[in-house]
Amino acid sequence: MSPIDTLVNSTIRPDVRAVASYHVADASGFIKLDAMENPYHLPHHLREDLAQRLADVALNRYPVASYASIKRRINDKLGVPAGYDVILGNGSDELISILCMACAMQDRRATVVAPTPSFVMYQRSAQFAGMDYVGVPLKADMTLDLPAMLAAIREHKPALVFLSYPNNPTGNLFAEDDIVAIIQALDGFGLAVVDEAYEPFAQQTLMRRLPEFNNLVVMRTVSKLGLAGIRLGYMAAAPRLLIEFDKVRPPYNINVLTQVAAEFALDHVEVLNQQAAALRAARADLTAALARIPGVEVFPSAANFILIRVSNSDDVHAKLLAHKVLIKNVSKMHSVLANCLRITVSTPEENSAFLDAFTASLAA
Ligand code: PMP
């Protein structure tokens, strides 16, 4: 064994060595429908104003540690209930990791429970924090198996239950009553984290119910709203819990450019909301068009992506790549996703280019 391999083996955890890095496909030259981004840029006049604001930022200074001004805008504009506050993450990815780090016990293995398939970072972050992860399979129609979730909660007494609302990669919204039953089942020992990354497209939220439950955490991101590049997530919960999570957060985790860009965008949030409305309309059109294609099963979506099932997903995915269209082949993620593909909803032009390439790929 080479000296560097010996070094890696003696320093890096075996479970870290055993996994691959989070895979991000190279999208240059492709119509990019794989990552649930908002295809719309800020309008030109706003970009010019933003450029000026960014030029004035003091790059030589650390951010103001309290992040009071950006938090105030989030609280005011994004529906955080009175008396509640948020903590910020470098994307909600970082918030998931902060939650796991804060809840991983030292004297025993703490557990994360989540429906599966769901967002892969729940399992990854649990693993890296040294927690056990228990995935509870969705039913064949992608809905939540509530009795199985409640049984897993009784058996494993998880510190954290992650619920993606709507769920990635299936796109559906779990029933609010089922989520409430899970929050109640965790009462006294576990936190229910409702991940509302796709809230702009679902327009359904548990945020307003925070005052009812001590153990509810509502997590969101500005990524899907049109700001994926700035990396900003936020999480609201009982103030007593936020005090603890904030200890685990790296200081200055939100950089000054992100902060100024987010403040600017939230001052013009109506522009982003209009883009989300256009994407909701485009989702309805794309869903209807896909449903008309023989041999394609379309799952209902409350998000900015659509899950479909075809007869040979690998083949269709490869042919779409040849047409320079990048979507996500999720067929190997879990057995309930056999032959499934996930398509991000985009502009009418890109959606129709996708549909042309897709029908050609099915026929070929
Ligand atoms: N939660 C869910 C359900 C997601 O699908 C994603 C991104 N795909 C995230 C969180 C992470 O979002 P970000 O780190 O960009 O805020």
Side-chain angles (χ1 to χ4, degrees):
M1 197 180 288
S2 73
I4 188 73
D5 285 335
T6 309
L7 180 66
V8 166
N9 286 350
S10 65
T11 52
I12 308 294
R13 288 159 41 172
D15 66 308
V16 171
R17 281 185 270 130
V19 294
S21 294
Y22 187 91
H23 174 71
V24 180
D26 178 9
S28 39
F30 284 81
I31 294 182
K32 190 173 186 317
L33 307 178
D34 66 328
M36 286 79 95
E37 291 142 325
N38 172 351
Y40 297 108
H41 210 323
L42 284 178
H44 216 273
H45 68 282
L46 288 185
R47 267 186 265 169
E48 283 172 7
D49 293 351
L50 173 60
Q52 190 52 54
R53 294 270 280 269
L54 290 172
D56 291 340
V57 172
L59 298 180
N60 55 322
R61 299 288 179 196
Y62 283 106
V64 175
S66 67
Y67 292 112
S69 62
I70 174 71
K71 286 183 180 178
R72 197 177 319 114
R73 281 183 180 73
I74 291 174
N75 288 339
D76 291 349
K77 304 242 174 177
L78 300 174
V80 179
Y84 284 76
D85 198 0
V86 294
I87 80 164
L88 307 178
N90 191 315
S92 40
D93 284 342
E94 187 182 47
L95 295 171
I96 296 166
S97 157
I98 286 173
L99 285 165
C100 291
M101 277 194 287
C103 297
M105 294 290 167
Q106 286 179 311
D107 58 337
R108 63 185 164 83
R109 301 270 298 179
T111 302
V112 166
V113 165
T116 180
S118 192
F119 183 43
V120 290
M121 292 310 290
Y122 306 148
Q123 178 167 12
R124 279 255 158 145
S125 294
Q127 179 198 332
F128 293 151
M131 300 174 94
D132 288 331
Y133 171 83
V134 176
V136 178
L138 294 177
K139 296 197 271 191
D141 63 357
M142 312 297 173
T143 57
L144 195 68
D145 188 342
L146 182 63
M149 286 294 293
L150 295 178
I153 289 168
R154 272 194 304 275
E155 184 183 343
H156 300 285
K157 295 268 179 289
L160 295 169
V161 172
F162 285 102
L163 296 161
S164 173
Y165 182 75
N167 189 44
N168 174 15
T170 55
N172 55 321
L173 269 178
F174 301 140
E176 184 168 329
D177 287 349
D178 289 359
I179 294 189
V180 168
I182 289 168
I183 300 169
Q184 287 168 338
L186 288 163
D187 189 32
F189 62 87
L191 305 176
V193 184
V194 177
D195 178 351
E196 299 188 348
Y198 301 97
E199 183 273 337
F201 313 102
Q203 300 181 291
Q204 299 278 336
T205 179
L206 272 284
M207 193 70 100
R208 65 192 151 68
R209 304 199 65 172
L210 277 170
E212 289 174 56
F213 308 107
N214 271 338
N215 63 334
L216 171 61
V217 178
V218 178
M219 186 164 72
R220 296 213 192 128
T221 175
V222 298
S223 291
K224 318 299 170 181
L225 195 57
L227 303 170
I230 70 172
R231 312 300 300 128
L232 182 70
Y234 59 98
M235 177 164 82
R240 180 72 185 77
L241 285 171
L242 291 191
I243 289 172
E244 302 304 327
F245 299 144
D246 210 43
K247 296 174 189 171
V248 182
R249 181 183 60 81
Y252 312 126
N253 61 331
I254 306 304
N255 73 73
V256 287
L257 297 173
T258 293
Q259 184 178 342
V260 167
E263 288 179 8
F264 179 83
L266 291 182
D267 286 344
H268 301 280
V269 74
E270 67 290 344
V271 173
L272 301 177
N273 288 338
Q274 280 160 14
Q275 294 175 348
L279 291 167
R280 293 194 300 269
R283 174 183 67 202
D285 293 344
L286 186 56
T287 302
L290 285 164
R292 283 194 292 271
I293 303 174
V296 178
E297 182 182 1
V298 186
F299 293 91
S301 172
N304 63 338
F305 58 87
I306 300 171
L307 185 78
I308 60 170
R309 179 172 282 129
V310 294
S311 61
N312 188 348
S313 55
D314 293 353
D315 189 45
V316 172
H317 183 253
K319 286 181 175 140
L320 280 169
L321 287 180
H323 282 94
K324 290 287 173 194
V325 176
L326 184 62
I327 63 168
K328 181 96 170 169
N329 184 355
V330 294
S331 61
K332 304 290 186 296
M333 265 180 77
H334 191 275
S335 55
V336 307
L337 294 176
N339 275 320
C340 284
L341 299 166
R342 189 191 68 194
I343 306 126
T344 304
V345 177
S346 184
T347 59
E349 297 72 30
E350 288 199 340
N351 295 339
S352 102
F354 158 75
L355 280 169
D356 289 348
F358 179 64
T359 22
S361 302
L362 282 176

